[in-house]
Amino acid sequence: MRLSPLTIKLLRDVWRLRAQAVAIALVIAAGVGMVIMSFGMIRSLEATRASYYDIYRFADVFAPIRRAPLSAIATVRQIPGVAYAEGRVSAGAILDVPGIAEPVSARVHSLPDPKGLNLLVLREGRLPNPGATDEVVANEAFAKAARLSPGDRFSALIYGKRIDLRLTGTVLSPEYVYAVAPGRSSRTTAATA
Amino acid sequence: MHRRSGESSSGQQAARQCIYRIEKLTKTYGSGPAAVHALRGVDLDVDEGEMFVLLGPSGSGKSTFLNILGGLDRATSGHAHFFDTNLTDLDDDGLTEYRRESVGFVFQFYNLIASLTARENVSLITQISKDPMDPAEALAMVGLQDRIDHFPSQLSGGEQQRVAIARAIAKRPRVLLCDEPTGALDSATGVRVLDALDRINREIGTTVFIITHNAVVAEMADDVVLFGDGRIVDRRSNPARKPPLELRW
């Protein structure tokens, strides 16, 4: 087969520029590899997130209500499209943690129903005993930052009342991937009792 | 019909066809007060097989005229007939076909492809032509039969220009348009390039136009046209064409 002059020119030019051609090919290959890897990582993260939210039953909708009776949950469950509804008590708190000079803003939730929504992932220790009023678990990242371990005690100011609490474990929650107080980026936590 | 003085070489002066008939050709660039009138009404008849030299100062319209003859540019008004075809009526496709089939170009700078040998540079054209010469034959016509496998960087300026000429004639064009073909060459080298053009004109009857600032070159032509301010200010025929190898400047 006889090559056309333009094909010959192409081959000679590529050969003459082989070092640059190889470098460019490597850069392109690295770029393509990065793109493929990035897309793979994004898909993996999305799948992991979906799986995490699915397994730990992350709620789709949150509706803060003041002083609503527990019976209101049954009414909410009757709304078309609602698969499941659960109520909880939630309040802001100021923690006095040993070793931390300034007060810590926190959000305190009642424990979720073990078969309900926003289930906790126990990372260390145990969940509070049912009926125990002074036991709490804390977000794992906060516990590490505050150097708190299961068994440690600290006090909390909730609705103006000082309460002594004991940490029974550290947890993860689908509700708090990154815990931060509304409108703030300072150190904040979520504690569950 | 213009008298052809190269009788001694061709002896075919009796019944030459008119290859170009140019009538009232104008070319204006821009408009309004900034308009540049490159051609202001050029009339010229050219017989096939003649050697034409176009002289004139820079900006006199020589290159514009040649570009219109070669289908590289369009006239603003007037007519340029190539045999029975009015070039000014052709659309882009028509001009492309005209250039491809009928016109060879040689410029001051050789425009050779550095990574192709002389033979391969000529082959570029022969591959897209209907009835081309063998590249080796075209290179032999310009005296480069021993240099066909050399790359441009291995050739002198004159040799590179002769490769460019071989490339231009390999498709057997009816007309060869040369814009300052010796402009970048010294006298001795330029003479060899002109000799190659002279040989092509005599041996295969290609009509050759040469633009030059060098008045000495005019001595090798059948006809000499002097341009000035967008017009032909003088036209003369040489009683005898001087062999290019006898030219000196």
Side-chain angles (χ1 to χ4, degrees), chain B residues 31-53:
Chain B
S31 59
V36 175
H37 300 282
L39 294 177
R40 297 171 181 270
V42 173
D43 297 290
L44 185 69
D45 287 346
V46 179
D47 287 347
E48 189 175 19
E50 288 204 329
M51 170 76 80
F52 256 76
V53 165

Side-chain angles (χ1 to χ4, degrees), chain A residues 4-6 8-9 12-13, chain B residues 113 115-116 120 123 127 151:
Chain A
S4 75
L6 286 179
I8 294 171
K9 171 183 167 12
R12 284 193 189 133
D13 288 348
Chain B
I113 294 176
S115 54
L116 296 181
E120 290 159 353
S123 297
Q127 286 206 334
F151 288 94

